[in-house]
Amino acid sequence: MRFAPVLIVLSLSIFYSSVSLADKVGITVDARKTVKATGGGDPRILASNTSIFRDDRLRANSSGNAQIRLIDGTKIVVGPNADVKIDDFVITGQTVSKLTVSATRGAFRFISGRSKSSAYSIRTPNGTIGVRGTAFDVTITPQGTNVALLRGAINACDRSGRCQLVRNRCDYVLIGRRGVKQDRLNSDSLRNRSKSLFPLLVNESNLNRQFRQRGSGCTVKNARLAPDRVPEQQPRNIFRALFSPRQPTENLNSPERSSPEPNSPGSNSSEPSNSVSSSPEPAAQSGSAPASAGVPNNPGNGNAVGNAGERFSGGSRGNSANAPGQSSVSPGRSGSTPGENRQARNQAERRNN
């Protein structure tokens, strides 16, 4: 019978040790300065390879830093002045079906693990943060809960149930009394303040590599402002492109270009109906105008050069009295055209006969 109390003590110690092992949810990868843990296990100051238990309340001083990895791969950085507690932790194999982290003050970083997004929930005095495969920094101040999104997406809700879906890297959210306000970390109104507001973004050299998110780039002025997810462009309609009417192109050698419009520069309203521009072209002979006589700034005879924009017909300038080949009686018509002189002589001979 003397051994009965000893057996009872041993059985109780084994029972409590098994409970403690079952409640172990993670381990400290690294810890610097002062971060204390109370509640889930014996009161202790965190160091490397310190066990973390469910219901542990982690408190850091103004320079505290503890980097914790949970069973499902979730990572938590307890930053300066943080007060973080692991409320609910339900293990299902190598994942968790429920993980709730409550924070009341200070700064911390949360990086989700391999469990389903619906299993994670972050509670603050101002509202809740729903996790969607993401990484973000949180700083709780008297003004509200400040969130800096570093990767993925979150659903930020205030205590009244008003929510804002945030999905762009370097986005900023303030959950306060007036609802959810969204901005950019590098905006003119926030850029200088964000460096002091989120201390874990300023310098990540103190963090283990697996806890870094290259968040310091979010506070520079030329940080990328475009969303991470580029909206899909509508596919081009090839049938519309093939069968849509084309715009007409201007042709210098077209009839519209070679003959002047009425009341346009180069036209003569007092010119008779049998003007050179409307008469048939004479047969090509030696010394006649070349084929390029209808091109602007090229009269065709090499002796006169027109102004830009003037139009020519038959190798003469129709709006200039000084152009070669013009007569004083009918400006714009040549008095020595070989074809017209021969026709006049033939008509005179028929009258005489």
Side-chain angles (χ1 to χ4, degrees):
M1 300 296 296
R2 289 182 301 177
F3 298 100
V6 177
L7 293 175
I8 294 173
V9 172
L10 290 175
S11 61
L12 290 176
S13 62
I14 294 173
F15 173 77
Y16 284 112
S17 63
S18 62
V19 172
S20 299
L21 291 175
D23 289 343
K24 182 178 178 179
V25 297
I27 192 172
T28 303
V29 176
D30 192 8
R32 301 182 182 183
K33 304 301 180 182
T34 304
V35 179
K36 296 180 179 180
T38 58
D42 296 332
R44 60 206 181 277
I45 295 177
L46 299 186
S48 299
N49 299 322
T50 301
S51 297
I52 303 298
F53 301 96
R54 183 172 53 190
D55 295 332
D56 261 345
R57 186 173 183 178
L58 311 175
R59 296 178 180 179
N61 61 6
S62 58
S63 58
N65 183 304
Q67 303 164 51
I68 301 168
R69 185 178 66 244
L70 303 182
I71 292 176
D72 72 327
T74 298
K75 303 175 185 65
I76 300 175
V77 180
V78 180
N81 299 315
D83 189 340
V84 178
K85 181 182 179 183
I86 302 176
D87 282 335
D88 299 323
F89 195 93
V90 181
I91 302 174
T92 305
Q94 295 297 318
T95 62
V96 296
S97 58
K98 188 174 183 181
L99 171 58
T100 303
V101 176
S102 299
T104 57
R105 62 179 175 86
F108 69 95
R109 173 171 293 180
F110 185 90
I111 305 173
S112 60
R114 53 181 173 268
S115 302
K116 293 182 179 179
S117 299
S118 58
Y120 302 107
S121 179
I122 310 297
R123 296 175 183 172
T124 71
N126 309 103
T128 59
I129 302 173
V131 179
R132 298 192 175 186
T134 183
F136 56 90
D137 283 7
V138 177
T139 301
I140 301 173
T141 63
Q143 288 72 31
T145 301
N146 303 268
V147 186
L149 182 60
L150 307 178
R151 176 170 54 85
I154 60 173
N155 192 30
C157 303
D158 65 0
R159 299 180 65 179
S160 300
R162 293 172 292 187
C163 299
Q164 180 75 39
L165 179 62
V166 185
R167 60 177 61 191
N168 298 326
R169 182 179 180 272
C170 301
D171 270 354
Y172 164 81
V173 174
L174 173 63
I175 308 174
R177 297 178 180 178
R178 298 182 179 180
V180 182
K181 180 181 177 181
Q182 187 172 352
D183 201 348
R184 295 288 292 182
L185 288 173
N186 67 338
S187 64
D188 294 337
S189 60
L190 189 64
R191 182 169 57 252
N192 296 330
R193 191 164 59 93
S194 61
K195 295 181 180 180
S196 59
L197 190 61
F198 299 102
L200 298 177
L201 291 178
V202 177
N203 185 6
E204 293 186 316
S205 61
N206 295 327
L207 299 180
N208 191 280
R209 187 176 299 274
Q210 58 184 309
F211 292 87
R212 299 178 186 176
Q213 290 295 313
R214 294 178 296 178
S216 58
C218 292
T219 59
V220 297
K221 186 174 182 179
N222 59 347
R224 186 179 62 176
L225 296 179
D228 290 343
R229 300 179 183 179
V230 180
E232 296 181 0
Q233 298 180 354
Q234 294 294 333
R236 183 180 178 183
N237 192 330
I238 188 171
F239 294 100
R240 182 181 299 175
L242 290 175
F243 297 106
S244 60
R246 296 183 179 180
Q247 297 294 332
T249 56
E250 187 178 12
N251 187 1
L252 293 177
N253 297 325
S254 62
E256 290 78 2
R257 290 288 296 177
S258 61
S259 60
E261 297 289 339
N263 300 328
S264 64
S267 63
N268 193 344
S269 59
S270 62
E271 191 174 359
S273 59
N274 59 347
S275 61
V276 175
S277 60
S278 60
S279 61
E281 295 290 338
Q285 295 182 3
S286 60
S288 61
S292 60
V295 180
N297 296 336
N298 187 354
N301 54 16
N303 295 327
V305 178
N307 296 326
E310 292 184 349
R311 301 177 180 179
F312 299 89
S313 178
S316 63
R317 293 172 63 186
N319 60 351
S320 175
N322 298 326
Q326 293 181 345
S327 63
S328 60
V329 178
S330 177
R333 299 183 58 186
S334 174
S336 60
T337 304
E340 292 184 355
N341 293 338
R342 187 181 298 109
Q343 185 178 5
R345 287 195 300 270
N346 293 337
Q347 292 177 357
E349 292 176 358
R350 290 194 205 93
R351 294 194 209 97
N352 295 332
N353 295 333

